[in-house]
Amino acid sequence: MSESKTQTAMNLAFSLFCISPLTVLFWRGTFNLITELAFRDCPTDSRWYPALMLYLMGTLMKIAVDLLKHTMKDVLLNKGNCLQILSSAFLLYLDASFGVVMWVGGFNLLYLFFGVYWYSLTSVFIIACIILMAIKAFHCTGGVPLAIGTDEFEIVFNPYTYFGTKFNSSCRFQVILDTIFTYSIVHSLVICCWWGMWELENRFILYPCEITVKDIKAWDSVVISYFLVFVVVTINDSVVAMKEEDGKLRKAAAANFTAFLTFLASLNFWRGLWSLMDFYFFPSVNLWENLVVSHLIGFLGTFMIGTSLTLTQRSRKDSNTPEFHSCKFWVSSKRRQYEDLDQERENNNLDMLV
């Protein structure tokens, strides 16, 4: 089902100016709070331990929360709407918060083991990209503002995994293994991609800009991101419409190139808005209060408009019919629910054939 141009414009505008800034706001507050708490008085040669603990804690909690979602789905299915909303809020908050914990740990482990030399950053980035493309999971490196998640019950309690294994009494062990693989391998490679390119831009490509330090206003990233967003929106339909007759290699190359542009658009959007928030988000408030307010407003804002799933940074296998511009807020929830379920069934059938 295709969207009208008006719906596409409304969805993109709402993502660019509301959902995505709230998402970055939550991550800025949470990421910087965790960094301050974990590393503020920690000597450089001892940082590996808190970094490792954060990464392991974040990974294990992300796995546990996803498995809890599967378990609670049948319990909550016929319960009242209020209980479903409260349960969703609790699980999404845990999911989003421990997702940031995992990224803080992952970033700091990469800093410690690889340093910030141009050759180490480039190597980590290229190797992570190649592996993700080889396992057909590179498309999940993108995110807001070109992709948002909505908080429908069926979507929240059916978390995406790499193999798309469905939770039932006969394959619970497979779901556990699938979830472990999704976060320990796929999501960790996504972190490597983001870290490599983020630091390459910070130190060698664009003006220097530290992620946890108020230093410059990265307007260069803002301009790059908005330009790439409109490029991706423009070419999205043409790439999606490519058929197998056009050649598998050509179709895969076009899809991965568009996914790379989506990744760059998302990364620069985060980098640019993050730096601007350091200067313009309650600048007179002291750092700790600022970060706490950033964390709370980011989560409550996205939850109130029904898009807090966007905070969780999902990883999944590339679809055979990829969609690089998936901002579908202004459509009926029932239509969106059926579209997502149909896509999941298609992916499961394809995996069974393989």
Side-chain angles (χ1 to χ4, degrees):
M1 301 180 186
S2 60
E3 289 182 294
S4 68
K5 291 183 178 180
T6 302
Q7 280 182 321
T8 299
M10 289 175 61
N11 285 322
L12 183 59
F14 195 58
S15 174
L16 284 169
F17 300 110
C18 183
I19 299 171
S20 301
L22 286 171
T23 301
V24 177
L25 191 65
F26 171 83
W27 272 71
R28 170 188 172 268
T30 314
F31 194 103
N32 289 352
L33 272 174
I34 295 168
T35 301
E36 284 288 318
L37 290 169
F39 302 104
R40 181 176 50 178
D41 299 319
C42 186
T44 303
D45 58 354
S46 302
R47 287 190 164 209
W48 68 270
Y49 182 74
L52 180 61
M53 290 299 101
L54 288 172
Y55 173 76
L56 292 176
M57 184 194 307
T59 304
L60 291 173
M61 284 302 299
K62 288 280 285 182
I63 293 169
V65 169
D66 270 16
L67 295 176
L68 186 59
K69 289 178 184 177
H70 286 297
T71 305
M72 291 183 64
K73 180 185 175 184
D74 291 337
V75 176
L76 295 170
L77 193 59
N78 297 315
K79 302 298 181 182
N81 190 51
C82 183
L83 183 59
Q84 290 183 357
I85 292 173
L86 290 174
S87 300
S88 295
F90 176 69
L91 290 175
L92 287 170
Y93 181 76
L94 288 179
D95 197 353
S97 298
F98 282 103
V100 183
V101 170
M102 181 182 178
W103 279 64
V104 174
F107 266 44
N108 281 278
L109 285 175
L110 289 165
Y111 285 129
L112 292 168
F113 287 110
F114 295 102
V116 287
Y117 309 104
W118 71 266
Y119 50 85
S120 59
L121 295 171
T122 305
S123 298
V124 169
F125 174 68
I126 292 176
I127 291 171
C129 287
I130 290 173
I131 296 173
L132 284 171
M133 289 181 186
I135 65 175
K136 297 182 179 179
F138 183 70
H139 298 180
C140 66
T141 55
V144 295
L146 285 164
I148 61 173
T150 50
D151 299 346
E152 279 85 10
F153 179 84
E154 285 290 338
I155 302 175
V156 171
F157 289 89
N158 277 304
Y160 292 115
T161 55
Y162 176 76
F163 294 104
T165 312
K166 304 304 294 181
F167 187 83
N168 55 55
S169 57
S170 63
C171 63
R172 291 181 180 178
F173 186 64
Q174 290 93 320
V175 172
I176 295 173
L177 292 178
D178 189 3
T179 307
I180 292 172
F181 180 83
T182 299
Y183 287 109
S184 62
I185 304 298
V186 181
H187 202 66
S188 296
L189 288 168
V190 173
I191 293 174
C192 290
C193 281
W194 273 70
W195 176 79
M197 180 53 70
W198 190 291
E199 289 303 327
L200 280 170
E201 289 195 355
N202 280 353
R203 299 173 187 275
F204 301 103
I205 300 175
L206 302 176
Y207 288 107
C209 178
E210 292 290 342
I211 188 171
T212 57
V213 177
K214 180 180 178 180
D215 44 18
I216 70 161
K217 303 169 187 175
W219 287 107
D220 47 4
S221 278
V222 175
V223 173
I224 291 170
S225 67
Y226 276 76
F227 171 74
L228 289 176
V229 162
F230 289 106
V231 170
V232 172
V233 171
T234 302
I235 67 175
N236 177 69
D237 290 342
S238 299
V239 176
V240 172
M242 292 184 72
K243 306 294 184 182
E244 293 293 337
E245 294 77 24
D246 297 323
K248 284 189 176 181
L249 185 60
R250 183 181 177 187
K251 180 180 178 182
N256 283 328
F257 176 72
T258 308
F260 182 70
L261 295 181
T262 304
F263 160 71
L264 289 179
S266 183
L267 184 143
N268 279 283
F269 184 88
W270 283 66
R271 181 178 182 269
L273 259 67
W274 192 304
S275 70
L276 295 181
M277 288 172 181
D278 288 340
F279 286 89
Y280 298 120
F281 182 76
F282 295 120
S284 60
V285 177
N286 73 64
L287 178 63
W288 284 93
E289 292 177 357
N290 186 292
L291 296 178
V292 170
V293 172
S294 177
H295 170 86
L296 292 175
I297 291 180
F299 180 77
L300 293 174
T302 53
F303 183 74
M304 288 175 65
I305 59 178
T307 59
S308 51
L309 189 64
T310 307
L311 305 174
T312 62
Q313 301 294 308
R314 298 166 295 171
S315 294
R316 60 190 298 190
K317 194 172 186 177
D318 298 343
S319 172
N320 289 323
T321 55
E323 186 71 29
F324 301 103
H325 170 222
S326 54
C327 301
K328 296 184 178 180
F329 184 83
W330 300 109
V331 294
S332 71
S333 60
K334 192 164 289 292
R335 168 182 150 180
R336 181 168 50 239
Q337 172 181 327
Y338 289 139
E339 286 177 341
D340 288 334
L341 291 175
D342 288 343
Q343 185 63 54
E344 286 186 19
R345 293 193 190 99
E346 177 188 340
N347 291 340
N348 289 338
N349 291 334
L350 289 169
D351 290 338
M352 290 175 64
L353 291 173
V354 173

